[in-house]
Amino acid sequence: MTDVSSKINIQTGALLMKVLKTFIWKQGEVNVFHGLHQDLDPIAVVGLGRRKGNTVEEGIDENKEAARIASAVGCRALRTLRMANIEVEDFDGLAESAAVGSILEMYESGKHYSLGHVLSDSGIQPYDIISNREQWRIGLVKASSQNYVRQLMEMPAALRFYACGGYQSTVGQDSTVAIAQSSISRAIDEVTRAINDHLFNRWVRLDLHPASLATLRQGFDMENNFPGVIGAIDCTHVAIVAPPIDDPVYRERDYFNRKQFHSINVQLVCDAYMKILNVNSRYPGATHDSFIFANSNLRRALQEVYRRNNNGSMWLLGNSPDLDLNLKLLVLDNLAQHDTSVLANYATEAGYGH
Protein backbone atom coordinates (compact mmCIF):
# COMPACT_ATOMS: atom_id res chain seq x y z
CA MET A 1 0.00 0.00 0.00
CA THR A 2 1.10 3.59 -0.61
CA ASP A 3 1.42 6.06 2.28
CA VAL A 4 -1.87 7.74 1.35
CA SER A 5 -3.76 4.44 1.21
CA SER A 6 -2.30 3.50 4.62
CA LYS A 7 -3.63 6.75 6.08
CA ILE A 8 -7.06 6.09 4.61
CA ASN A 9 -6.94 2.53 5.94
CA ILE A 10 -6.35 3.91 9.46
CA GLN A 11 -9.18 6.42 8.99
CA THR A 12 -11.56 3.61 8.01
CA GLY A 13 -10.56 1.40 10.93
CA ALA A 14 -8.70 -1.06 8.67
CA LEU A 15 -11.83 -1.57 6.57
CA LEU A 16 -9.99 -0.57 3.40
CA MET A 17 -7.35 -3.29 3.84
CA LYS A 18 -10.04 -5.84 4.63
CA VAL A 19 -11.83 -5.03 1.39
CA LEU A 20 -8.63 -4.96 -0.67
CA LYS A 21 -7.69 -8.47 0.44
CA THR A 22 -10.77 -9.85 -1.31
CA PHE A 23 -9.28 -8.90 -4.71
CA ILE A 24 -6.30 -10.05 -6.74
CA TRP A 25 -4.74 -6.78 -7.93
CA LYS A 26 -3.05 -6.52 -11.30
CA GLN A 27 -1.38 -3.43 -12.68
CA GLY A 28 -4.00 -1.02 -14.02
CA GLU A 29 -6.96 -2.91 -12.50
CA VAL A 30 -9.40 -0.54 -10.79
CA ASN A 31 -12.25 -0.85 -8.30
CA VAL A 32 -14.33 1.96 -6.79
CA PHE A 33 -15.38 1.61 -3.15
CA HIS A 34 -18.30 3.46 -1.54
CA GLY A 35 -19.17 4.05 2.10
CA LEU A 36 -15.81 3.16 3.65
CA HIS A 37 -16.20 6.11 6.02
CA GLN A 38 -18.83 8.78 6.54
CA ASP A 39 -16.31 11.52 5.75
CA LEU A 40 -14.99 9.90 2.56
CA ASP A 41 -16.30 10.16 -0.97
CA PRO A 42 -16.04 7.15 -3.30
CA ILE A 43 -12.44 5.95 -3.59
CA ALA A 44 -10.88 4.48 -6.75
CA VAL A 45 -8.15 1.95 -5.95
CA VAL A 46 -5.84 0.89 -8.78
CA GLY A 47 -3.25 -1.86 -8.89
CA LEU A 48 0.34 -0.58 -9.29
CA GLY A 49 2.07 -3.90 -9.80
CA ARG A 50 5.25 -4.79 -7.95
CA ARG A 51 7.55 -1.95 -6.92
CA LYS A 52 10.72 -2.18 -9.02
CA GLY A 53 13.14 0.13 -7.26
CA ASN A 54 14.81 2.67 -9.52
CA THR A 55 15.28 0.48 -12.59
CA VAL A 56 14.78 2.09 -15.97
CA GLU A 57 14.17 -0.14 -18.99
CA GLU A 58 14.27 1.19 -22.57
CA GLY A 59 14.29 4.77 -21.28
CA ILE A 60 11.08 4.29 -19.23
CA ASP A 61 10.99 4.49 -15.45
CA GLU A 62 8.55 1.68 -14.72
CA ASN A 63 7.49 3.05 -11.34
CA LYS A 64 6.63 6.43 -12.84
CA GLU A 65 4.83 4.71 -15.68
CA ALA A 66 2.80 2.67 -13.19
CA ALA A 67 1.83 5.89 -11.39
CA ARG A 68 0.79 7.52 -14.68
CA ILE A 69 -1.36 4.53 -15.58
CA ALA A 70 -2.93 4.28 -12.13
CA SER A 71 -3.82 7.98 -11.94
CA ALA A 72 -5.34 7.90 -15.42
CA VAL A 73 -7.39 4.78 -14.75
CA GLY A 74 -8.56 6.05 -11.37
CA CYS A 75 -9.65 9.42 -12.76
CA ARG A 76 -11.51 7.69 -15.57
CA ALA A 77 -13.39 5.51 -13.09
CA LEU A 78 -14.36 8.45 -10.87
CA ARG A 79 -15.31 10.58 -13.86
CA THR A 80 -17.99 8.05 -14.77
CA LEU A 81 -19.57 8.82 -11.38
CA ARG A 82 -19.66 12.53 -12.33
CA MET A 83 -17.53 13.51 -9.35
CA ALA A 84 -17.24 17.30 -9.09
CA ASN A 85 -13.75 17.12 -7.56
CA ILE A 86 -11.13 14.41 -7.86
CA GLU A 87 -8.09 14.26 -5.58
CA VAL A 88 -5.08 12.28 -6.83
CA GLU A 89 -2.44 10.91 -4.48
CA ASP A 90 1.31 11.16 -5.19
CA PHE A 91 2.09 7.40 -5.17
CA ASP A 92 4.91 7.90 -2.64
CA GLY A 93 6.80 10.79 -4.21
CA LEU A 94 5.60 10.52 -7.82
CA ALA A 95 3.26 13.53 -7.88
CA GLU A 96 4.65 14.67 -11.23
CA SER A 97 3.76 11.34 -12.88
CA ALA A 98 0.37 11.33 -11.18
CA ALA A 99 -0.39 14.78 -12.60
CA VAL A 100 0.70 13.75 -16.10
CA GLY A 101 -1.48 10.62 -16.07
CA SER A 102 -4.62 12.22 -14.64
CA ILE A 103 -4.50 15.35 -16.81
CA LEU A 104 -3.75 13.46 -20.03
CA GLU A 105 -6.72 11.20 -19.27
CA MET A 106 -8.97 14.24 -19.06
CA TYR A 107 -7.54 15.61 -22.31
CA GLU A 108 -8.24 12.28 -23.98
CA SER A 109 -11.73 11.68 -22.59
CA GLY A 110 -13.06 15.23 -22.81
CA LYS A 111 -11.38 16.41 -26.03
CA HIS A 112 -10.16 19.49 -24.16
CA TYR A 113 -7.69 21.69 -25.97
CA SER A 114 -6.38 23.85 -23.11
CA LEU A 115 -5.10 23.10 -19.63
CA GLY A 116 -7.47 25.69 -18.13
CA HIS A 117 -10.48 23.88 -19.56
CA VAL A 118 -9.26 20.56 -18.16
CA LEU A 119 -8.74 21.88 -14.65
CA SER A 120 -11.99 23.84 -14.52
CA ASP A 121 -14.08 21.01 -15.98
CA SER A 122 -12.59 18.10 -14.03
CA GLY A 123 -11.78 19.56 -10.61
CA ILE A 124 -8.58 17.47 -10.49
CA GLN A 125 -6.14 18.38 -7.71
CA PRO A 126 -3.44 16.65 -5.65
CA TYR A 127 -4.45 14.89 -2.45
CA ASP A 128 -1.69 16.67 -0.52
CA ILE A 129 -1.24 20.08 -2.17
CA ILE A 130 1.24 21.38 0.45
CA SER A 131 4.10 18.90 -0.04
CA ASN A 132 3.50 18.18 -3.74
CA ARG A 133 2.84 21.63 -5.17
CA GLU A 134 5.99 21.95 -7.30
CA GLN A 135 6.00 18.37 -8.63
CA TRP A 136 2.31 18.67 -9.45
CA ARG A 137 2.93 21.94 -11.32
CA ILE A 138 5.71 20.34 -13.39
CA GLY A 139 3.39 17.44 -14.21
CA LEU A 140 0.70 19.85 -15.41
CA VAL A 141 3.17 21.55 -17.75
CA LYS A 142 4.40 18.22 -19.14
CA ALA A 143 0.86 16.94 -19.70
CA SER A 144 -0.16 20.13 -21.46
CA SER A 145 2.95 20.00 -23.66
CA GLN A 146 2.32 16.38 -24.61
CA ASN A 147 -1.25 17.23 -25.54
CA TYR A 148 -0.11 20.08 -27.80
CA VAL A 149 2.36 17.76 -29.54
CA ARG A 150 -0.42 15.21 -30.04
CA GLN A 151 -2.62 17.85 -31.63
CA LEU A 152 0.18 18.91 -33.99
CA MET A 153 0.53 15.28 -35.12
CA GLU A 154 -3.20 14.62 -35.43
CA MET A 155 -4.09 17.43 -37.83
CA PRO A 156 -1.73 16.44 -40.71
CA ALA A 157 -2.61 12.76 -40.19
CA ALA A 158 -6.34 13.47 -40.53
CA LEU A 159 -5.84 15.79 -43.51
CA ARG A 160 -3.73 13.12 -45.21
CA PHE A 161 -6.54 10.60 -44.74
CA TYR A 162 -9.16 13.04 -46.05
CA ALA A 163 -7.04 13.71 -49.13
CA CYS A 164 -6.21 10.15 -50.16
CA GLY A 165 -8.65 7.89 -48.30
CA GLY A 166 -7.45 4.29 -48.14
CA TYR A 167 -6.45 2.38 -45.04
CA GLN A 168 -5.48 4.12 -41.81
CA SER A 169 -2.34 2.00 -41.40
CA THR A 170 -1.14 3.10 -44.84
CA VAL A 171 -1.59 6.74 -43.90
CA GLY A 172 0.32 6.18 -40.66
CA GLN A 173 3.26 4.65 -42.55
CA ASP A 174 3.65 7.78 -44.68
CA SER A 175 7.04 9.34 -43.90
CA THR A 176 5.41 12.72 -43.29
CA VAL A 177 3.03 11.27 -40.66
CA ALA A 178 4.61 8.12 -39.18
CA ILE A 179 2.21 7.27 -36.35
CA ALA A 180 0.36 4.09 -35.39
CA GLN A 181 -3.01 3.08 -36.87
CA SER A 182 -4.75 3.52 -33.50
CA SER A 183 -3.45 7.09 -33.35
CA ILE A 184 -4.62 7.69 -36.93
CA SER A 185 -8.11 6.49 -35.96
CA ARG A 186 -8.20 8.81 -32.95
CA ALA A 187 -6.87 11.71 -35.03
CA ILE A 188 -9.56 11.28 -37.68
CA ASP A 189 -12.26 11.13 -35.03
CA GLU A 190 -11.06 14.19 -33.10
CA VAL A 191 -10.30 16.39 -36.12
CA THR A 192 -13.60 15.46 -37.75
CA ARG A 193 -15.51 16.33 -34.58
CA ALA A 194 -13.65 19.64 -34.34
CA ILE A 195 -14.50 20.47 -37.95
CA ASN A 196 -18.16 19.60 -37.42
CA ASP A 197 -18.40 21.54 -34.15
CA HIS A 198 -16.46 24.67 -35.07
CA LEU A 199 -16.08 25.02 -38.84
CA PHE A 200 -18.84 23.19 -40.69
CA ASN A 201 -21.77 25.55 -40.11
CA ARG A 202 -19.55 28.55 -40.71
CA TRP A 203 -18.29 27.47 -44.14
CA VAL A 204 -20.88 25.01 -45.47
CA ARG A 205 -24.08 26.99 -45.80
CA LEU A 206 -26.58 27.92 -48.48
CA ASP A 207 -27.58 31.52 -47.83
CA LEU A 208 -31.11 32.05 -49.18
CA HIS A 209 -31.19 35.81 -48.83
CA PRO A 210 -32.00 37.54 -52.16
CA ALA A 211 -28.56 39.16 -52.46
CA SER A 212 -26.79 35.82 -51.88
CA LEU A 213 -29.03 34.02 -54.37
CA ALA A 214 -28.26 36.72 -56.94
CA THR A 215 -24.54 36.12 -56.40
CA LEU A 216 -25.00 32.37 -56.90
CA ARG A 217 -26.94 32.94 -60.14
CA GLN A 218 -24.29 35.34 -61.35
CA GLY A 219 -21.57 32.72 -60.76
CA PHE A 220 -23.22 30.10 -62.97
CA ASP A 221 -24.01 32.71 -65.60
CA MET A 222 -20.44 33.98 -65.75
CA GLU A 223 -18.64 30.64 -65.47
CA ASN A 224 -20.97 28.42 -67.52
CA ASN A 225 -23.14 30.84 -69.48
CA PHE A 226 -26.11 29.28 -67.71
CA PRO A 227 -28.49 31.89 -66.24
CA GLY A 228 -30.73 31.35 -63.23
CA VAL A 229 -28.96 28.41 -61.57
CA ILE A 230 -28.28 28.77 -57.85
CA GLY A 231 -26.55 25.41 -57.36
CA ALA A 232 -25.70 21.96 -58.71
CA ILE A 233 -27.13 18.99 -56.80
CA ASP A 234 -26.25 15.30 -56.79
CA CYS A 235 -25.79 12.36 -54.45
CA THR A 236 -22.68 10.29 -53.89
CA HIS A 237 -22.13 7.00 -52.07
CA VAL A 238 -19.63 7.07 -49.20
CA ALA A 239 -18.49 3.52 -48.44
CA ILE A 240 -18.83 2.19 -44.88
CA VAL A 241 -18.27 -1.06 -43.03
CA ALA A 242 -21.44 -3.11 -43.26
CA PRO A 243 -23.62 -3.09 -40.11
CA PRO A 244 -24.33 -6.48 -38.49
CA ILE A 245 -27.07 -8.37 -40.33
CA ASP A 246 -29.12 -8.70 -37.14
CA ASP A 247 -28.76 -5.06 -36.03
CA PRO A 248 -32.32 -3.92 -35.15
CA VAL A 249 -31.58 -0.19 -35.66
CA TYR A 250 -29.06 -0.01 -38.52
CA ARG A 251 -30.38 -2.71 -40.80
CA GLU A 252 -27.71 -4.09 -43.08
CA ARG A 253 -29.94 -4.25 -46.16
CA ASP A 254 -30.75 -0.54 -45.87
CA TYR A 255 -27.09 0.30 -46.48
CA PHE A 256 -26.48 -2.03 -49.45
CA ASN A 257 -26.71 0.22 -52.51
CA ARG A 258 -27.38 -0.43 -56.19
CA LYS A 259 -23.63 -0.43 -56.85
CA GLN A 260 -23.30 -3.52 -54.67
CA PHE A 261 -21.53 -2.13 -51.62
CA HIS A 262 -22.55 -0.65 -48.26
CA SER A 263 -22.67 3.11 -48.03
CA ILE A 264 -24.24 6.35 -46.86
CA ASN A 265 -25.99 8.16 -49.73
CA VAL A 266 -24.88 11.78 -49.28
CA GLN A 267 -26.66 14.64 -51.04
CA LEU A 268 -24.47 17.63 -51.91
CA VAL A 269 -25.14 21.07 -53.39
CA CYS A 270 -22.30 23.21 -54.73
CA ASP A 271 -21.94 26.58 -56.44
CA ALA A 272 -20.36 27.39 -59.82
CA TYR A 273 -16.89 27.25 -58.24
CA MET A 274 -17.48 23.80 -56.68
CA LYS A 275 -17.75 25.17 -53.15
CA ILE A 276 -20.04 22.91 -51.12
CA LEU A 277 -23.12 24.77 -49.91
CA ASN A 278 -25.29 22.03 -48.41
CA VAL A 279 -24.78 18.47 -47.15
CA ASN A 280 -27.36 15.84 -46.23
CA SER A 281 -25.82 12.60 -44.93
CA ARG A 282 -28.81 11.21 -43.04
CA TYR A 283 -29.77 8.34 -45.33
CA PRO A 284 -28.35 4.84 -45.93
CA GLY A 285 -27.08 3.72 -49.31
CA ALA A 286 -30.25 1.96 -50.49
CA THR A 287 -32.20 5.22 -50.32
CA HIS A 288 -33.03 6.77 -53.71
CA ASP A 289 -31.69 10.22 -54.52
CA SER A 290 -35.15 11.65 -55.16
CA PHE A 291 -36.39 10.45 -51.75
CA ILE A 292 -33.49 12.18 -50.02
CA PHE A 293 -34.27 15.49 -51.68
CA ALA A 294 -38.04 15.17 -51.23
CA ASN A 295 -37.56 14.76 -47.46
CA SER A 296 -34.79 17.29 -46.99
CA ASN A 297 -34.79 20.60 -45.16
CA LEU A 298 -33.27 22.08 -48.30
CA ARG A 299 -36.38 21.33 -50.33
CA ARG A 300 -38.65 22.88 -47.72
CA ALA A 301 -36.45 25.96 -47.48
CA LEU A 302 -36.42 26.44 -51.25
CA GLN A 303 -40.18 26.02 -51.38
CA GLU A 304 -40.53 28.80 -48.85
CA VAL A 305 -38.19 31.06 -50.82
CA TYR A 306 -40.21 30.41 -53.97
CA ARG A 307 -43.50 31.23 -52.25
CA ARG A 308 -42.01 34.39 -50.83
CA ASN A 309 -40.62 35.59 -54.17
CA ASN A 310 -43.46 34.10 -56.25
CA ASN A 311 -41.32 33.50 -59.32
CA GLY A 312 -39.49 30.72 -61.08
CA SER A 313 -36.24 32.56 -61.68
CA MET A 314 -34.02 30.12 -59.78
CA TRP A 315 -33.43 26.42 -59.92
CA LEU A 316 -31.01 23.66 -59.03
CA LEU A 317 -29.17 21.73 -61.73
CA GLY A 318 -28.92 17.96 -61.43
CA ASN A 319 -29.34 14.68 -63.28
CA SER A 320 -32.49 12.76 -64.17
CA PRO A 321 -32.63 10.37 -61.15
CA ASP A 322 -33.23 13.45 -58.99
CA LEU A 323 -36.36 14.53 -60.91
CA ASP A 324 -39.20 15.42 -58.61
CA LEU A 325 -42.70 16.80 -59.15
CA ASN A 326 -41.75 19.86 -57.15
CA LEU A 327 -38.29 20.34 -58.62
CA LYS A 328 -37.57 20.09 -62.35
CA LEU A 329 -33.87 19.69 -62.94
CA LEU A 330 -32.76 20.81 -66.36
CA VAL A 331 -30.43 18.38 -68.14
CA LEU A 332 -28.79 19.34 -71.41
CA ASP A 333 -26.24 17.21 -73.18
CA ASN A 334 -24.64 20.08 -75.06
CA LEU A 335 -25.34 23.58 -73.86
CA ALA A 336 -23.41 25.15 -76.73
CA GLN A 337 -25.91 23.85 -79.31
CA HIS A 338 -28.83 25.79 -77.78
CA ASP A 339 -29.81 29.43 -77.96
CA THR A 340 -29.35 31.08 -74.57
CA SER A 341 -32.63 33.03 -74.71
CA VAL A 342 -34.58 29.84 -75.41
CA LEU A 343 -32.79 28.15 -72.53
CA ALA A 344 -33.76 30.97 -70.19
CA ASN A 345 -37.43 30.63 -71.15
CA TYR A 346 -37.38 26.85 -70.79
CA ALA A 347 -35.57 27.10 -67.48
CA THR A 348 -38.23 29.43 -66.11
CA GLU A 349 -40.97 27.04 -67.13
CA ALA A 350 -39.14 24.14 -65.53
CA GLY A 351 -38.02 26.20 -62.58
CA TYR A 352 -38.43 25.36 -58.95
CA GLY A 353 -42.05 25.27 -57.85
CA HIS A 354 -43.68 24.62 -61.25
Side-chain angles (χ1 to χ4, degrees), residues 169-349:
S169 56
T170 303
V171 175
Q173 291 167 5
D174 189 293
S175 60
T176 60
V177 178
I179 58 179
Q181 181 275 325
S182 58
S183 297
I184 291 286
S185 178
R186 183 178 61 200
I188 294 170
D189 177 67
E190 293 192 4
V191 174
T192 301
R193 289 178 185 274
I195 290 173
N196 285 336
D197 292 343
H198 302 288
L199 297 177
F200 186 87
N201 290 330
R202 179 180 177 185
W203 295 101
V204 181
R205 57 194 301 266
L206 177 57
D207 191 342
L208 297 179
H209 289 90
S212 299
L213 293 175
T215 300
L216 292 173
R217 289 197 296 267
Q218 184 180 25
F220 278 95
D221 197 4
M222 293 177 61
E223 294 294 317
N224 309 103
N225 196 27
F226 207 133
V229 176
I230 64 169
I233 183 171
D234 202 358
C235 290
T236 185
H237 289 278
V238 178
I240 63 169
V241 175
I245 295 178
D246 57 351
D247 193 310
V249 178
Y250 302 101
R251 297 181 300 180
E252 180 270 340
R253 64 178 181 273
D254 292 342
Y255 293 84
F256 194 69
N257 63 41
R258 59 185 174 82
K259 298 182 180 182
Q260 307 299 299
F261 64 90
H262 296 84
S263 68
I264 301 291
N265 196 4
V266 181
Q267 176 185 276
L268 299 167
V269 177
C270 71
D271 66 8
Y273 307 100
M274 292 185 288
K275 176 185 176 182
I276 296 175
L277 304 175
N278 183 265
V279 178
N280 185 347
S281 57
R282 295 178 55 193
Y283 294 96
T287 310
H288 196 276
D289 294 3
S290 61
F291 179 89
I292 295 175
F293 179 77
N295 291 275
S296 66
N297 292 330
L298 172 65
R299 175 178 177 272
R300 289 186 284 273
L302 290 176
Q303 281 181 320
E304 180 59 30
V305 170
Y306 177 79
R307 293 190 191 100
R308 194 166 59 237
N309 297 328
N310 194 29
N311 64 65
S313 62
M314 67 172 190
W315 61 94
L316 294 175
L317 186 67
N319 56 19
S320 55
D322 294 317
L323 285 175
D324 179 275
L325 290 177
N326 294 306
L327 178 70
K328 303 301 182 182
L329 299 170
L330 184 58
V331 182
L332 297 174
D333 295 329
N334 190 346
L335 181 59
Q337 296 179 359
H338 298 269
D339 179 78
T340 304
S341 61
V342 175
L343 285 177
N345 291 332
Y346 176 76
T348 301
E349 293 173 4

